[in-house]
Each structure stands twice: as C-alpha cells, then as structure tokens.
Amino acid sequence: MSGRAALTRLTGSGSGECGEKDCPNVYRTEKGSFVVQGDVSQAFTPPEGEGLVEIPESVLREAFRALGW
C-alpha cells in the first residue's frame, strides 16, 4: 500500500465520534478490502503482524452508508 492517498475514506464526514479529525475512520483499498483506524484495543494479543483497533458503531454505520449498504 502506498499511503493514505491510495485509500478511499468512507468516514469522517462529521457524523462520527471525532468529526473531521483523523480518528476513528474506515477506509477502502483499491482491492476492495478495508483499513480501520481507531484506538488500539487490549482485548487480547493478536498474532505477530496483526493489530486490534476499537471503533464506535456510529463509524461503521457511516462507512456502510457511504457504500450504500
């Protein structure tokens, strides 16, 4: 992945937890997968090379609306 410019931002329109700020957010990649930005979660230790983030339900709903789901 070549940085944030290669991602489509689905959230952050002002209706989420952080409004226009950077966190939390959901992005869609050119391949159709998703990148989630949020507070690091300590729920469990993920495998090496993976991470856990926690985002509010309102941010996921905003991403779904952006995709027309």
Side-chain angles (χ1 to χ4, degrees):
M1 200 174 319
S2 60
R4 207 183 291 197
L7 303 173
T8 300
R9 188 173 175 168
L10 300 175
T11 57
S13 65
S15 62
E17 296 292 309
C18 292
E20 294 292 335
K21 297 179 185 174
D22 272 346
C23 163
N25 275 302
V26 178
Y27 299 87
R28 191 167 196 180
T29 69
E30 293 173 339
K31 298 182 296 183
S33 60
F34 298 93
V35 175
V36 179
Q37 174 187 358
D39 293 332
V40 175
S41 174
Q42 302 297 324
F44 65 90
T45 302
E48 187 173 331
E50 296 183 6
L52 303 174
V53 297
E54 186 173 342
I55 63 169
E57 180 180 331
S58 62
V59 174
L60 289 178
R61 288 182 182 278
E62 183 181 354
F64 294 153
R65 280 193 302 274
L67 291 168
W69 295 359

